[in-house]
Amino acid sequence: MKKVYKAHILFTKEKTRFEVLENGYVAVEDGKVTGVASSLDELFPQSSAPSSQPDYELIDFGNKLLIPAMNDMHVHAPQVHNQGVAMDLELLPWLQNYTFPEESKYADIHYAERMYRRFLHTQWLFGTMRSVVFGTVHTESTRKLMHLYQEAGMGALVGKVAMNRNCPDALCEDVEAYVEGQESLIADANVSTHDRSVDSSLFTLHSSLPPLVRPIITPRFVPSCTPELLRACGEMAKKYELPVQSHLSENTSEIAWVAELEPESESYGDAYNRYGLFGQTPTIMAHCVWTRGQELELMKRNGVMVAHCPTSNFNLSSGMAPIRTLLDEGVRIGLGSDISGGHDLNMFRMLVYAIQVSKMHYQLDHDKAFLTLPEAFWIATKSAGSFFGKVGSFEPGYEFDALVIDDAVLYPDEYSLQHRLERFIYVGDDRQIVHRFCRGEEVKEPALV
């Protein structure tokens, strides 16, 4: 049965302004928005005599806010145990001394499940309903993470990490083993070069929509992958039409290292491009702090999305990504927590940090205006959601990913609806999120054990 939700509705159809419907209505059927309006008469125009029995269920959220759910476009699920730890190191020593030893523990499926449950529970608390996720090199632990997302009813693109050089032996996997493990995960997802319509117990199709949980090709970054492994990743992305995620131009030392390893490439991005990993299938690259010139032009030409991770860029001394420039150049952008380079899984905080980073850029170049709240919200919702399909807005045809915010404790009666949302983003927390929806279904609290 169709459901109609009544609340104060806010979303960003365009990046320059909020759509605000006081006591508005949004209709949802088969996981998708079928209409949004200021009144029921506008939502359901009467072409004939009204029926005595409506063909929808009305759910009234009263004075609460109804907004699109959050999307985390770059996060390392196995690093949750290191969240807030070793923030006094730069990227490369941080990886060697903390990240790689922690990820090695995920060979133990029981440890992996315990940590992954904690991770998903925290994402749920903060209203993150879709994620682009790095797992580890371990096939079974990655499979477990995919199962847990499906069990929770939260959407995710989950990556088994590819790496076979410049890493500990425990995380080094040869090309053949990587391909075999990745293809077993692809088989679970029923991704086939011939038939993508098959149902399964793990990846149940929902009214012809794509599965909520799917694999994504995940070379960690160029320094950790030989040319043979990068080539294998590109071939698999092409064969199975799978998206790609990795890291790009995060740190100047890393960029110099890539130039040594891939001397024939014109830029870091070109190193991926030469192996079919830079927009040949949908691609998202994290950071892009130092993306300029030819690399930026290649990114624009290939339609590569950026996952902006402001807390990680600060914590690891990487720099400030030029988000205003990227936005003005027409590059698609989403926000990422980048746990545990970043220290915070709350994506509403990422909105704030992204705005603050842009204000620091403004101090350096007054020609580059800082991000407004509607722009940052649009980046976090509709722009980010486009990587999953029609996600992140309440326009008809979009999947209904939504949060209900009870901000009574924040003195909402003193403010306009837009200021109420702004106040929640800046000073609210998970206690004000009272309902969470993904693809039209309410997502209940995931089990920790």
Side-chain angles (χ1 to χ4, degrees), residues 51-105:
S51 169
S52 59
Q53 183 65 38
D55 62 350
Y56 58 84
E57 177 186 1
L58 178 63
I59 298 97
D60 190 345
F61 290 127
N63 195 38
K64 299 177 180 64
L65 307 179
L66 179 64
I67 63 173
M70 291 292 102
N71 307 288
D72 191 339
M73 305 307 291
H74 181 70
V75 60
H76 293 261
Q79 294 178 23
V80 67
H81 188 61
N82 280 351
Q83 187 176 348
V85 171
M87 296 289 95
D88 55 352
L89 294 177
E90 291 189 13
L91 173 64
L92 299 180
W94 173 81
L95 285 171
Q96 294 294 338
N97 295 321
Y98 288 89
T99 300
F100 290 159
E102 175 62 21
E103 291 192 8
S104 297
K105 298 177 184 178

Side-chain angles (χ1 to χ4, degrees), residues 15 33 69 116 118 128 137 139 143 152-153 186 196 206 228 253 282 291 306 324 327 380 389 402 414:
K15 65 175 176 285
V33 174
Y116 283 153
R118 180 186 300 179
T128 300
V137 301
T139 300
R143 196 188 318 275
I186 292 170
R196 290 179 173 77
H206 189 302
E228 293 76 19
S253 299
T291 293
V306 172
R324 168 57 67 190
L327 191 65
E414 299 178 14

Side-chain angles (χ1 to χ4, degrees), residues 14-279:
E14 301 171 356
K15 65 175 176 285
T16 55
R17 64 185 178 88
F18 282 102
E19 304 290 325
V20 181
L21 287 77
E22 184 174 2
N23 294 310
Y25 299 83
V26 57
V28 178
E29 189 171 17
D30 293 331
K32 294 182 180 180
V33 174
T34 58
V36 59
S38 298
S39 69
L40 285 173
D41 287 342
E42 184 183 348
L43 195 63
F44 302 114
Q46 299 296 322
S47 57
S48 58
S51 169
S52 59
Q53 183 65 38
D55 62 350
Y56 58 84
E57 177 186 1
L58 178 63
I59 298 97
D60 190 345
F61 290 127
N63 195 38
K64 299 177 180 64
L65 307 179
L66 179 64
I67 63 173
M70 291 292 102
N71 307 288
D72 191 339
M73 305 307 291
H74 181 70
V75 60
H76 293 261
Q79 294 178 23
V80 67
H81 188 61
N82 280 351
Q83 187 176 348
V85 171
M87 296 289 95
D88 55 352
L89 294 177
E90 291 189 13
L91 173 64
L92 299 180
W94 173 81
L95 285 171
Q96 294 294 338
N97 295 321
Y98 288 89
T99 300
F100 290 159
E102 175 62 21
E103 291 192 8
S104 297
K105 298 177 184 178
Y106 283 73
D108 180 348
I109 191 70
H110 302 292
Y111 181 82
E113 179 171 359
R114 180 160 60 93
M115 290 298 153
Y116 283 153
R117 284 190 181 277
R118 180 186 300 179
F119 167 74
L120 261 71
H121 187 267
T122 307
Q123 284 199 309
W124 175 88
L125 280 176
F126 292 133
T128 300
M129 294 292 104
R130 308 262 181 158
S131 304
V132 182
V133 189
F134 274 62
T136 63
V137 301
H138 309 101
T139 300
E140 294 311 313
S141 291
T142 304
R143 196 188 318 275
K144 174 58 69 174
L145 179 57
M146 297 174 82
H147 274 277
L148 291 175
Y149 267 112
Q150 188 70 17
E151 177 185 288
M154 295 157 60
L157 294 167
V158 178
K160 169 183 161 63
V161 173
M163 52 196 303
N164 68 342
R165 68 174 172 182
N166 297 317
C167 61
D169 290 344
L171 295 176
C172 188
E173 186 175 49
D174 65 37
V175 176
E176 293 75 15
Y178 166 75
V179 170
E180 181 180 353
Q182 183 67 69
E183 289 197 323
S184 75
L185 297 175
I186 292 170
D188 272 358
N190 288 316
V191 176
S192 160
T193 55
H194 305 293
D195 183 4
R196 290 179 173 77
S197 64
V198 183
D199 195 1
S200 76
S201 59
L202 177 58
F203 298 92
T204 304
L205 299 183
H206 189 302
S207 303
S208 76
L209 292 171
L212 266 176
V213 184
R214 292 177 287 154
I216 181 169
I217 299 299
T218 307
R220 186 174 207 113
F221 66 159
V222 169
S224 70
C225 301
T226 62
E228 293 76 19
L229 183 55
L230 289 169
R231 189 172 298 111
C233 287
E235 289 171 353
M236 293 181 71
K238 179 180 179 181
K239 178 179 179 181
Y240 296 104
E241 298 180 18
L242 288 174
V244 170
Q245 65 173 339
S246 195
H247 302 85
L248 179 67
S249 297
E250 177 179 2
N251 176 285
T252 53
S253 299
E254 168 204 17
I255 295 169
W257 195 9
V258 171
E260 293 177 6
L261 294 170
E262 291 285 334
E264 295 180 6
S265 298
E266 295 180 354
S267 65
Y268 194 164
D270 187 48
Y272 288 114
N273 188 58
R274 291 171 61 241
Y275 298 103
L277 296 166
F278 207 66

